[in-house]
Amino acid sequence: MMIYASPSGARAIERRYRELLELWPVPHEQVRVPTAHGETFVVACGAAGAPPLVLPHGSGANSAMWLGDVAVWARGFGPRRGRLPVFSDEELGRLGMPVLVIAGERDGLLDSHGTRRRLPRADVRVLPGVGHLLPPRTQPIMDFLETSHD
């Protein structure tokens, strides 16, 4: 399935994406990771052996969305290696580890308010008036991570 208007458009987008990845502020590795829906491209960075942190991108975005934040998180966290699990709502509700969910109140892709029901033990923060593309949340996320891993 072609998501671009033309092959030349696809090449131009990929070229610009590669240019942005050259600006990645910390040492990193570009890898492909298997998922339930096929391979996905991942930029892995951070300290080896540190607690893993997965930063998925939002819809219509890519890994470059983390350029402004990744240097902060790479100081205390490392990449997760291997396949990411897929959880049912029931399994998500039983997660025992600290979980932070930040979602937009007007998200057209996710049931943001239903997330509280699906993740009763999670710290769910719904941002008023915000859609699927969230504003930068570096400090609140880092505060959560540092508190959760003390």
Side-chain angles (χ1 to χ4, degrees), residues 51-119:
L53 178 64
V54 176
L55 302 171
H57 58 76
S59 175
N62 57 46
S63 301
M65 71 176 280
W66 299 113
L67 278 169
D69 305 313
V70 72
V72 173
W73 294 322
R75 283 183 264 170
F77 299 91
R80 178 188 165 97
R81 300 288 182 177
R83 191 179 198 112
L84 294 175
V86 177
F87 296 105
S88 67
D89 284 354
E90 183 180 324
E91 290 169 319
L92 287 172
R94 291 193 311 259
L95 291 176
M97 79 284 285
V99 174
L100 171 65
V101 177
I102 301 176
E105 173 187 49
R106 296 183 177 173
D107 192 321
L109 299 175
L110 301 172
D111 176 9
S112 300
H113 295 286
T115 300
R116 285 194 172 104
R117 178 183 34 69
R118 289 189 306 276
L119 296 169

Side-chain angles (χ1 to χ4, degrees), residues 19-79:
E19 290 170 2
L20 285 171
L21 291 178
E22 288 176 17
L23 302 175
W24 204 260
V26 296
H28 66 283
E29 177 184 5
Q30 297 177 14
V31 296
R32 296 201 172 270
V33 176
T35 74
H37 301 285
E39 282 189 343
T40 191
F41 176 77
V42 172
V43 179
C45 60
L53 178 64
V54 176
L55 302 171
H57 58 76
S59 175
N62 57 46
S63 301
M65 71 176 280
W66 299 113
L67 278 169
D69 305 313
V70 72
V72 173
W73 294 322
R75 283 183 264 170
F77 299 91

